[in-house]
Amino acid sequence: SPTGRLSAVPATARPVAALAAVVGEQRHARLLAAARDFRTRFAGHTLWTVSSTASGGSVAEMLQALVGYVRDLDLDIRWLVIGGDPGFFAVTKHLHHLLHGFPGRLTLGPDTAAHYEDVLAANAQDLLGRVHPGDIVLLHDPQTAGLAPWLTHAGVHVVWRSHVGCDLQNAATRDGWAFLRPYLQHADAYVFSRRAFVPAWLPAERTRIITPSIDPFAPKNQDLSPAVVRAVLAAAGLIDAPVTGPPVYRRLDGGTGLIAHRATVVAETLPGPDEPLVVQVSRWDPLKDMAGVMRSFAEYVAPYAQGRLVLAGPALVSDDPEGALVRAACVQRWRGLPSAVRERIVLASLPVDDVDENAVLVNALQRHAAVVTQKSLAEGFGLTVAEAMWKGRPVVASAVGGIPDQITEGTGVLVPDPSDLAAFGMALCGLLSDPATREQLGAAAHERVRTAFVGDLHLLRYAEMLTALLS
Ligand code: UDP
């Protein structure tokens, strides 16, 4: 079936040695030793990592970099992306919301399960033709969970990696986990981003906590000088400034990139290059609460402080009908604002024609921001938070999901109740009027990410867990 075919994602080797300059020789050596240990036990086998998309969202963002580093560690790793039809992805998006504690619009009945299983059965046939006994298959998220039962007799080790979850189980999460449980029981090991996300019925001794990570050298996070940041934002039509230098960046494969597409913006005018920006970069997903950021800014920031708000998300793709609704609702709300407020808010859709270009636009926006927000209602980890912290930005974010694992005392501002628009606005106003605190939080934030969320640690923990799996 055309909807059930896997596609292989090419990933170029990335030099692990480069990480030493960021994380220090000791951490670098520890990773090399762990990789050597694993390689010895795994000789002759292949590590398969299977996800639902090659671009857009945090899983793809991380795999782009991590798969490249694993190649450099001399391991045979292949990245596969499953195929599915819109009905399948509607089910998995629904599961995603449920596991974050939010009831969705669908009902998970026998028909839904049958369709989910059919699509994954077709993908599994393809996968079974590729794997060999002794290989390891790392499945990511609910989209791939239904592959696990098909792999039980293939002699491979199956690990299921969840990037989602929420601290408090409720009726929605129970429905979501009940749907996945029959499939997940066939996995040999489990990885979660946070202990509180793990459902009680999973065997604790086969479950590990591994937090996500950023890659300092990826287009998303690489250093960009202020001049290049300006040139990139001007070239993409995100700020009103003359393009003074070439908007160049380093692509993931090491080549040189140039901004070739413009963003689509809904705005009265574009911000000037020196206006302080509050920025949130998110998918157009209701749980990211872009509309809430807008309301908070309109009511509690615009009347009291300088600066503009930029809400940026990916340009819409046809397979994200929910994204189109969320964005349209934001635009409608924007139109309803008084013009003095409206002219201080920009809604931007970033071109997605090229993954690296999209990444560098996010990078430039985050670097240019005076303050970054992540006002999510639920969050598996919130990679955008680590990305902004790495860039030395002060972040104001909801204390939900994995965000409090990242923002600790003095490394950003946590707002306890994600629906508290006034608290959000007040935190933003406070920072907009206090450059010294912004500077201080930003410096501590960068160090926090260096200590805990750079890719070498992610790889080290995987190497340790996979070595244990083979023992
Ligand atoms: N992102 C992007 N372009 C966009 C919006 C988001 O590249 O227009 C990236 C963002 O930089 C981050 C990822 O998508 O790397 C989102 O990860 P996060 O964990 O914040 O949320 P998720 O989308 O996985 O729920």
Side-chain angles (χ1 to χ4, degrees):
S1 139
T3 61
R5 291 282 301 278
L6 296 165
S7 26
V9 186
T12 341
R14 304 175 59 59
V16 171
L19 287 170
V22 173
V23 305
E25 256 322 315
Q26 221 175 350
R27 258 165 69 174
H28 174 237
R30 222 174 126 200
L31 171 61
L32 294 187
R36 198 178 317 119
D37 254 15
F38 175 62
R39 212 165 40 225
T40 315
R41 286 173 198 269
F42 197 56
H45 298 298
T46 302
L47 178 58
W48 302 86
T49 184
V50 187
S51 73
S52 66
T53 166
S55 64
S58 58
V59 180
E61 173 73 25
M62 285 188 281
L63 288 179
Q64 287 288 355
L66 294 177
V67 169
Y69 285 123
V70 173
R71 287 259 158 85
D72 189 53
L73 291 168
D74 236 352
L75 286 154
D76 184 21
I77 183 166
R78 316 274 177 90
W79 178 9
L80 299 173
V81 166
I82 58 167
D85 61 2
F88 172 81
F89 289 113
V91 174
T92 60
K93 187 78 185 271
H94 180 65
L95 284 168
H96 175 93
H97 288 337
L98 290 179
L99 296 179
H100 276 140
F102 286 78
R105 277 184 283 267
L106 299 181
T107 315
L108 294 177
D111 290 355
T112 339
H115 188 60
Y116 176 83
E117 287 174 13
D118 283 351
V119 168
L120 290 174
N123 282 284
Q125 293 319 310
D126 188 344
L127 184 56
L128 286 169
R130 302 178 192 236
V131 298
H132 294 99
D135 287 357
I136 295 174
V137 181
L138 188 55
L139 303 173
H140 294 268
D141 275 346
Q143 293 93 324
T144 62
L147 292 171
W150 293 96
L151 296 167
T152 40
H153 301 295
V156 298
H157 308 270
V158 179
V159 181
W160 186 68
R161 204 295 184 222
S162 175
H163 297 269
V164 295
C166 70
D167 285 6
L168 296 175
Q169 307 298 306
N170 61 19
T173 55
R174 281 192 289 275
D175 279 358
W177 287 121
F179 181 91
L180 291 173
R181 187 171 177 170
Y183 313 114
L184 293 181
Q185 274 166 341
H186 296 275
D188 302 298
Y190 309 89
V191 180
F192 284 79
S193 298
R194 186 171 158 87
R195 179 68 60 192
F197 293 172
V198 183
W201 45 266
L202 277 181
E205 69 287 359
R206 290 195 275 134
T207 305
R208 291 237 182 172
I209 306 305
I210 301 181
T211 46
S213 63
I214 59 131
D215 176 26
F217 303 109
K220 180 72 54 76
N221 302 306
Q222 66 186 227
D223 277 344
L224 300 172
S225 70
V228 169
V229 167
R230 275 187 191 206
V232 164
L233 295 178
L238 288 163
I239 59 170
D240 182 14
V243 181
T244 44
V248 286
Y249 62 94
R250 228 177 24 260
R251 298 181 60 83
L252 196 72
D253 65 9
T256 300
L258 203 62
I259 301 301
H261 300 89
R262 286 176 75 81
T264 309
V265 298
V266 173
E268 297 278 336
T269 57
L270 289 179
D274 298 317
E275 274 182 272
L277 300 187
V278 173
V279 172
Q280 177 162 314
V281 178
S282 293
R283 290 179 298 105
W284 302 100
D285 178 315
L287 300 184
K288 307 294 183 184
D289 201 19
M290 297 280 236
V293 184
M294 194 177 349
R295 279 179 60 197
S296 169
F297 185 86
E299 286 172 40
Y300 299 100
V301 182
Y304 312 108
Q306 297 289 307
R308 297 216 211 184
L309 171 67
V310 177
L311 296 174
L316 293 167
V317 280
S318 56
D319 66 354
D320 186 12
E322 190 189 45
L325 292 176
V326 170
R327 188 174 172 284
C330 279
V331 173
Q332 196 180 9
R333 191 177 283 277
W334 179 85
R335 287 197 204 291
L337 291 170
S339 73
V341 178
R342 202 166 53 224
E343 67 193 20
R344 298 201 24 209
I345 300 178
V346 176
L347 304 179
S349 295
L350 307 178
V352 290
D353 317 66
D354 178 315
V355 184
D356 287 354
E357 184 191 55
N358 179 273
V360 94
L361 290 178
V362 172
N363 185 342
L365 269 177
Q366 289 169 331
R367 283 185 194 279
H368 194 65
V371 184
V372 169
T373 64
Q374 193 59 53
K375 197 195 161 310
S376 303
L377 305 177
E379 197 62 79
F381 179 70
L383 204 57
T384 48
V385 172
E387 288 164 359
M389 290 172 79
W390 174 252
K391 294 165 184 109
R393 298 295 90 199
V395 180
V396 175
S398 322
V400 296
I403 293 177
D405 294 336
Q406 303 181 61
I407 300 182
T408 50
E409 186 73 35
T411 64
V413 179
L414 286 175
V415 177
D417 174 1
S419 63
D420 190 343
L421 301 181
F424 245 89
M426 264 148 39
L428 291 175
C429 281
L431 286 175
L432 283 170
S433 62
D434 185 353
T437 302
R438 293 207 303 261
E439 189 78 19
Q440 223 170 42
L441 289 178
H446 173 79
E447 190 49 26
R448 168 86 188 126
V449 173
R450 202 184 66 79
T451 312
F453 305 113
V454 176
D456 67 307
L457 295 171
H458 202 161
L459 293 167
L460 172 73
R461 289 176 189 136
Y462 264 119
E464 289 171 349
M465 109 151 248
L466 296 178
T467 304
L469 185 73
L470 300 181
S471 316

